Amino acid sequence: MEGGLEISARELDDEDSNQFMVFQINNASEGKTILEASEVAPHFPGSDAQPDMYLSIEMQSFHLAQSEQVDKNTRATMRLVVGKDKSSRDRAFDDVFWTVSAGLDLYNKWTKQKAKPDELKADFNKALGNRPIEVAGGLANMQFEVVKHSEPKWWQRIFGFLRSDAGRSLTSVVGFPAITSSAIQVLDELFNRLDRSDAQPLFKSRPMILALSEQAKLDYSGGISRIKVGCMNPGFCVFARRRDYHAIANADALYYPHLGILAPSSASPADVASGNFDNPLADITYAVFKVNMIPTKLELRFNFGGRIA
């Protein structure tokens, strides 16, 4: 294989094989269609005037592998945590994170079938009160986890499905902007309350470092060419599991937002729309996110008795 990481799923244990990876759909018409994060060249150069980044993330679709069994009680709980990495040269905001938790109803009870990928979308920006994720120094630390499970009694109350879209939405999101690591430990109880005998991790998460600018990449690597830093740009990203690395990285694929799926570029739009084609990515679980970012310079602001200093 040319470029990227050589990973064999047979060499990984279950936890490692479920570890999430970030891929970027290539913005350029030439070259590979989907790039692993370490193959991405940062779009923003970064500067002392604007070393930081405002970041927003929207889940466009969630594709569940064809072989994953789903019945009327099958649900999933997702968690995304984003903050600045502690290795950033900017020591401010070391203990501040943005986190969202999403409930996914994997069974559409109105159509009486497995939810379609485009039905599982989520506006993380709205959940965070339209407040952008602030990444000081442009070096992000990201965690992503999804657990498939049956529905606990408290689950609908936490995510409030009955109060959204007349109860017909298949996703619901709660967001927590600018919270500390101690607050995240409290939110971890959401996952801990799942019956572990019933829960099946679809994505497992260890922190992933992602540079959002060339300066952030250089700050981390020190300019050493043998240090392959993962990067993320504005555009569309695919979150997939390490076990599916080769299938995603080698796919000559196009993304169809109205269907929420990746499909081979060789398939005609008519065949993709009708489902009358052989899709090698059909049995892979992945999520597609739309990412926007703007360089900025963050300022520490403290509230003293109602005054901003």
Side-chain angles (χ1 to χ4, degrees), residues 59 62 64 70-78 102-121 146-151 155-156 159 161-162 164 167-173:
M59 187 172 75
F62 185 85
L64 193 65
V70 168
D71 62 27
K72 64 180 181 180
N73 296 314
T74 307
R75 310 289 183 261
T77 299
M78 173 187 296
L104 309 180
D105 193 340
L106 299 180
Y107 182 84
N108 189 329
K109 61 185 178 183
W110 295 279
T111 62
K112 294 182 172 57
Q113 61 184 0
K114 181 188 293 188
K116 296 178 180 178
D118 63 312
E119 294 176 323
L120 299 173
K121 58 180 64 178
V146 184
V147 176
K148 173 186 167 186
H149 55 84
S150 59
E151 185 177 310
W155 197 76
Q156 288 279 354
F159 290 112
F161 281 88
L162 297 180
S164 60
R168 297 183 65 87
S169 174
L170 300 184
T171 63
S172 181
V173 187

Side-chain angles (χ1 to χ4, degrees), residues 1 19 29 106 117 141 158 161 183 186 199 212 222 246 255 270:
M1 193 184 105
Q19 167 68 16
S29 57
L106 299 180
N141 183 294
I158 290 291
F161 281 88
V186 175
L212 308 183
H246 292 298
Y255 179 59

Side-chain angles (χ1 to χ4, degrees), residues 201-244:
L202 296 177
F203 289 84
K204 294 288 288 185
S205 184
R206 291 188 299 273
M208 174 174 283
I209 299 172
L210 291 167
L212 308 183
S213 69
E214 183 64 30
Q215 184 61 57
K217 178 181 177 180
L218 291 173
D219 285 344
Y220 184 85
S221 69
I224 301 173
S225 61
R226 293 184 181 274
I227 308 301
K228 297 297 184 183
V229 182
C231 302
M232 186 165 67
N233 284 332
F236 290 82
C237 292
V238 180
F239 285 22
R241 298 176 292 194
R242 290 183 71 182
R243 68 171 70 174
D244 300 315

Side-chain angles (χ1 to χ4, degrees), residues 175-186:
F176 304 89
I179 62 173
T180 64
S181 57
S182 58
I184 289 179
Q185 293 174 8
V186 175

Side-chain angles (χ1 to χ4, degrees), residues 50-109:
Q50 292 185 313
D52 312 314
M53 198 71 70
Y54 283 143
L55 177 69
S56 70
I57 304 176
E58 299 176 40
M59 187 172 75
Q60 297 289 295
S61 61
F62 185 85
H63 179 274
L64 193 65
Q66 199 171 52
S67 60
E68 286 283 353
Q69 296 300 310
V70 168
D71 62 27
K72 64 180 181 180
N73 296 314
T74 307
R75 310 289 183 261
T77 299
M78 173 187 296
R79 177 172 54 180
L80 177 69
V81 181
V82 184
K84 62 152 285 191
D85 192 76
K86 289 184 179 294
S87 60
S88 170
R89 65 172 173 166
D90 192 327
R91 305 312 301 172
F93 306 97
D94 262 354
D95 199 37
V96 180
F97 298 88
W98 275 250
T99 182
V100 292
S101 292
L104 309 180
D105 193 340
L106 299 180
Y107 182 84
N108 189 329
K109 61 185 178 183

